Amino acid sequence: MEEEFPKEEEDFLSKPDHDSVLQKVCANIDANNGSIKELKYGKASVVLETSSKMVMDKTGLIHSGNIFSSAAYSAMLAVNHPNAIVIGAEVKFLAPIELGNEITFRAETLQEDTKKREVKVEGFVLDIKIFDAMFYVAVFDKHVLSLHIVKEMEKRMD
């Protein structure tokens, strides 16, 4: 009698990539915040190519607000929930950035099952760590602005 092996429903080439996810946040964000390099469950990577629009002086120093914005974008992508917002951050700028530098931000959520999430974000120019942060992201059942609109409408009806 021949030994029977359980049939695999799919071979490894046709299996879906369970790590990849669809982008649910920041769909209309300006390209100056960076471009998505990787988007997986609980992780994201964003590349920021510095431009002359980000320069704050004649030496080519990039404004830290542009760096923060791209890091926050990567944090939001890591959470990837349409009703999430950044509610806080602890940030360290470890080195100045100049025009022409390309920064790669790597974001990873530290827990997935709470309404308040911590997201670790690190930024690198080549292999040099230039940015380190912890972002705090709140996840709501409904969009945060719709909650305020409903309350305002109720007040006006009284």
Side-chain angles (χ1 to χ4, degrees):
M1 179 174 197
E2 272 184 49
E3 188 176 334
E4 287 189 36
F5 293 99
K7 249 188 173 181
E8 286 189 36
E9 291 180 22
E10 303 172 296
D11 64 32
F12 76 96
L13 292 175
S14 64
K15 285 186 180 178
D17 181 1
H18 293 291
D19 284 338
S20 64
V21 294
L22 295 174
Q23 181 180 351
K24 298 177 186 174
V25 296
C26 305
N28 297 321
I29 200 162
D30 187 274
N32 286 326
N33 285 289
S35 57
I36 300 170
K37 182 178 177 182
E38 177 183 52
L39 182 58
K40 292 186 176 184
Y41 184 75
K43 294 182 180 184
S45 180
V46 170
V47 174
L48 176 64
E49 295 180 17
T50 57
S51 73
S52 60
K53 292 180 180 181
M54 301 173 187
V55 171
M56 61 181 276
D57 64 20
K58 63 183 178 180
T59 68
L61 182 65
I62 299 298
H63 191 281
S64 60
N66 297 100
I67 298 165
F68 180 87
S69 180
S70 189
Y73 177 40
S74 67
M76 288 294 292
L77 289 168
V79 172
N80 202 27
H81 191 287
N83 298 328
I85 60 168
V86 173
I87 59 170
E90 295 172 13
V91 177
K92 294 178 186 172
F93 296 95
L94 305 175
I97 302 302
E98 62 183 317
L99 181 62
N101 288 148
E102 182 179 275
I103 307 168
T104 301
F105 292 97
R106 297 181 198 134
E108 183 173 359
T109 56
L110 301 182
Q111 80 278 359
E112 295 290 325
D113 57 348
T114 63
K115 295 289 183 184
K116 181 180 174 189
R117 311 227 177 129
E118 294 180 350
V119 184
K120 176 76 172 161
V121 179
E122 297 175 312
F124 298 87
V125 172
L126 301 174
D127 290 334
I128 302 166
K129 186 174 176 180
I130 56 88
F131 182 89
D132 189 39
M134 184 67 69
F135 281 87
Y136 302 98
V137 179
V139 177
F140 296 94
D141 294 329
K142 296 180 181 179
H143 192 281
V144 68
L145 294 181
S146 69
L147 299 174
H148 294 294
I149 292 170
V150 170
K151 288 178 184 177
E152 286 300 316
M153 290 178 71
E154 288 174 350
K155 286 180 186 176
R156 290 180 185 178
M157 294 178 85
D158 288 342

